[in-house]
């Protein structure tokens, strides 16, 4: 269990959060430092994925809530993220390729169509 205390300087409030961690490893085989490494390791994977979806695609601001539309849009976002990552790797571009591509494709729709039309493998 991790307890965090936050002092909010503007409002002069103090809040406290408790995080409960669950692991399959027995307590006698893991100390607090090891548990913290595993906990932080999870977020090194989670944060980049959520950042792309939330900041680049504005997923949190989406007002789509009915039927299968949220899942369908998430699938399309994942497809674009994957295709842009694949295309960036082919072109030896840095990981910041996606925001630049999205901005360019907003003005030139043919860029997005070309990305979808490219073969997945070089030999195809």
């Amino acid at each position: 269990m991790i307890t965090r205390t936050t002092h909010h300087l503007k409002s002069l409030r103090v809040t406290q959060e408790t995080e409960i961690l669950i692991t399959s490893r027995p307590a006698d085989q893991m100390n607090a430092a090891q548990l913290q490494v595993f906990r932080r390791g999870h977020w090194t994977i989670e944060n980049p994925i959520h950042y792309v979806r939330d900041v680049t695609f504005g997923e949190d601001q989406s007002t789509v809530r009915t039927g299968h539309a949220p899942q369908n849009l998430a699938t399309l976002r994942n497809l674009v993220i994957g295709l842009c990552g694949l295309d960036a790797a082919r072109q030896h571009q840095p990981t910041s390729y996606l925001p630049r591509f999205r901005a360019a494709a907003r003005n030139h729709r043919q860029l997005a169509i070309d990305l979808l039309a490219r073969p997945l493998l070089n030999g195809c």
Side-chain angles (χ1 to χ4, degrees):
M1 195 162 64
I2 297 173
T3 302
R4 275 186 294 280
T5 303
T6 305
H7 298 266
H8 304 273
L9 298 177
K10 288 184 180 178
S11 64
L12 302 176
R13 286 184 317 134
V14 176
T15 58
Q16 198 169 42
E17 280 182 340
T18 301
E19 183 177 347
I20 298 172
L21 306 170
I22 300 172
T23 178
S24 60
R25 189 174 284 188
D28 62 342
Q29 293 181 10
M30 183 178 287
N31 62 33
Q34 291 170 319
L35 191 59
Q36 189 70 335
V37 168
F38 283 118
R39 185 186 152 278
R40 287 190 178 169
H42 167 77
W43 290 108
T44 59
I45 296 167
E46 267 318 284
N47 282 341
I49 295 167
H50 286 291
Y51 181 85
V52 169
R53 292 176 71 137
D54 294 342
V55 174
T56 305
F57 286 100
E59 191 171 62
D60 286 347
Q61 282 76 37
S62 175
T63 57
V64 177
R65 303 273 188 268
T66 57
H68 295 288
Q71 292 88 350
N72 292 340
L73 286 173
T75 300
L76 288 172
R77 288 183 192 109
N78 287 338
L79 175 66
V80 170
I81 291 167
L83 288 174
C84 281
L86 183 62
D87 195 52
R90 278 192 208 140
Q91 296 181 28
H92 305 290
Q93 295 285 327
T95 56
S96 61
Y97 175 75
L98 181 61
R100 286 192 322 260
F101 173 81
R102 189 167 176 265
R106 186 177 303 129
N107 297 324
H108 305 285
R109 302 240 186 258
Q110 190 61 41
L111 289 172
I113 294 167
D114 291 345
L115 177 68
L116 292 172
R118 286 185 194 134
L120 292 177
L121 300 174
N122 291 333
C124 294

